[in-house]
């Protein structure tokens, strides 16, 4: 497989990961209707993600369950920063400023990824990449809020926590890029989830959680949350990054998540799709196209300038 084919494979894997992540909102809403608190949802997402991947690897390839001390350290840091801390700051941001505003701040992650890719991985920046990232952030704002945010109700603490969630979310790619030099994507995801749910244990309401395990509907939704919107997309995303694609591109390509999430909400939950939200979704698609073909556009731009 030549380099271009490898990159194309990486782009597809990252976008497939975004599609799977797009199911998260629907599944979480189903779990919330059962009376499950957000801290418990964070725990079961990581626990069932770990459990499903452990069972899968146990049958497929037990060698992928092996990891050394360095790998344990990296995945422990990942579990703490990109899972436990992320869930804590994001859910508390939602509590203080609402779902829409918190989600907009979460999708500042591509901006942070652009910065990390320059600082740590010496990626070449271009005007086309920067344009794609800026367009991605603006279109996310439109798609999530419809262009309407009540600034009077915004809490400074909630805003800072929302920005922190975007920062934490962006670190997933940074740590995985480092870890993938030695470890398989499945192994990284498995142990990051393991440490994630261990670090989350002090925050959960254990009695409520035990009672929920008696409910078959809860078990079905929890398993779906752990597999369809957790272990599978993370393995796909890390697999995509392992092909060597730029992190700045991966951050925008994974925005397929938001498109799928909005479409599912409209189709299944009958949420209203305004013209502004629809325009935001279209602009996300445009930003993905720009980032995907940024090298081509940059070459064209240079030829025109010459």
């Amino acid at each position: 497989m030549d380099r271009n084919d490898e990159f194309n494979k990486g782009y597809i894997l990252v976008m497939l990961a975004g599609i799977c992540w797009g199911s998260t909102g629907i599944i979480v809403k189903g779990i919330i209707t059962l009376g499950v608190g957000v801290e418990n949802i964070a725990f079961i997402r990581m626990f069932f993600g770990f459990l499903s991947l452990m069972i899968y690897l146990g049958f497929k390839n037990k060698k992928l369950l092996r990891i050394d001390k360095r790998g344990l350290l990296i995945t422990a840091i990942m579990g703490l920063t990109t899972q436990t801390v992320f869930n804590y700051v994001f859910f508390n941001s939602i509590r203080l400023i609402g779902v829409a505003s918190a989600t907009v701040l979460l999708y500042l992650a591509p901006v942070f990824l652009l910065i990390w890719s320059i600082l740590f991985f010496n990626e070449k920046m271009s005007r086309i990449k920067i344009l794609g990232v800026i367009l991605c952030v603006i279109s996310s704002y439109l798609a999530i809020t419809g262009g309407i945010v009540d600034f009077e109700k915004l809490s400074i603490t909630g805003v800072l926590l929302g920005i922190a969630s975007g920062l934490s979310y962006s670190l997933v790619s940074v740590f995985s890029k480092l870890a993938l030099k030695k470890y398989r994507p499945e192994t990284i995801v498995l142990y990051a989830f393991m440490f994630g749910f261990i670090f989350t244990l002090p925050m959960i309401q254990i009695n409520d959680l035990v009672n929920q395990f008696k409910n078959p509907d809860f078990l079905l939704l929890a398993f779906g949350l752990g597999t369809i919107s957790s272990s599978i997309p993370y393995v796909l995303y890390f697999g995509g990054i392992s092909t060597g694609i730029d992190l700045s591109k991966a951050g925008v390509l994974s925005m397929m998540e938001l498109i799928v999430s909005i479409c599912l909400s409209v189709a299944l939950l009958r949420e209203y799709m305004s013209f502004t939200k629809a325009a935001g979704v279209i602009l996300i698609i445009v930003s993905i196209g720009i980032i995907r073909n940024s090298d081509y556009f940059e070459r064209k731009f240079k030829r025109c300038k010459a």
Side-chain angles (χ1 to χ4, degrees), residues 7-17 253:
F7 281 165
N8 287 332
K9 176 186 175 183
Y11 298 143
I12 292 171
L13 289 174
V14 169
M15 287 191 286
L16 285 174
L253 293 172

Side-chain angles (χ1 to χ4, degrees), residues 199-220:
F199 290 137
T200 307
L201 281 171
M203 294 185 283
I204 67 173
Q205 293 82 43
I206 189 66
N207 291 332
D208 293 342
L209 194 59
V210 170
N211 290 331
Q212 288 292 342
F213 270 83
K214 302 173 185 176
N215 185 345
D217 291 337
F218 166 79
L219 291 175
L220 181 62

Side-chain angles (χ1 to χ4, degrees), residues 119-300:
L119 292 178
F120 301 128
F121 301 104
N122 299 316
E123 283 189 18
K124 294 180 180 179
M125 282 302 102
S126 66
R127 286 156 290 197
I128 302 298
K129 276 188 182 179
I130 294 172
L131 172 63
V133 170
I134 293 173
L135 183 60
C136 175
V137 173
I138 294 173
S139 58
S140 299
Y141 163 74
L142 295 175
I144 295 166
T145 67
I148 301 172
V149 174
D150 190 348
F151 291 98
E152 293 182 359
K153 293 183 179 180
L154 289 184
S155 155
I156 293 178
T157 302
V159 170
L160 291 175
L161 288 172
I163 294 172
S165 71
L167 175 61
S168 176
Y169 193 49
S170 70
L171 290 176
V172 171
S173 301
V174 176
F175 286 123
S176 63
K177 187 89 169 180
L178 296 171
L180 286 165
K181 293 178 180 179
K182 185 176 181 180
Y183 311 102
R184 290 275 299 171
E186 298 92 333
T187 306
I188 299 170
V189 175
L190 177 73
Y191 286 98
F193 279 175
M194 182 188 77
F195 284 111
F197 81 73
I198 290 173
F199 290 137
T200 307
L201 281 171
M203 294 185 283
I204 67 173
Q205 293 82 43
I206 189 66
N207 291 332
D208 293 342
L209 194 59
V210 170
N211 290 331
Q212 288 292 342
F213 270 83
K214 302 173 185 176
N215 185 345
D217 291 337
F218 166 79
L219 291 175
L220 181 62
L221 288 169
F223 189 76
L225 183 64
T227 54
I228 298 172
S229 64
S230 297
S231 59
I232 292 174
Y234 270 104
V235 170
L236 289 171
Y237 185 76
F238 290 174
I241 290 177
S242 69
T243 63
I245 65 173
D246 292 347
L247 289 186
S248 54
K249 291 184 178 182
V252 175
L253 293 172
S254 65
M255 292 299 292
M256 286 295 299
E257 170 187 1
L258 186 54
I259 297 173
V260 173
S261 178
I262 291 172
C263 291
L264 287 176
S265 296
V266 173
L268 301 180
L269 301 179
R270 299 292 187 266
E271 290 188 4
Y272 175 66
M273 173 69 85
S274 67
F275 174 81
T276 306
K277 285 188 176 183
V281 170
I282 293 172
L283 286 175
I284 291 174
I285 297 172
V286 172
S287 69
I288 290 174
I290 290 173
I291 286 292
R292 167 65 182 81
N293 299 286
S294 60
D295 296 336
Y296 169 79
F297 288 129
E298 189 65 24
R299 288 195 299 269
K300 285 287 187 181

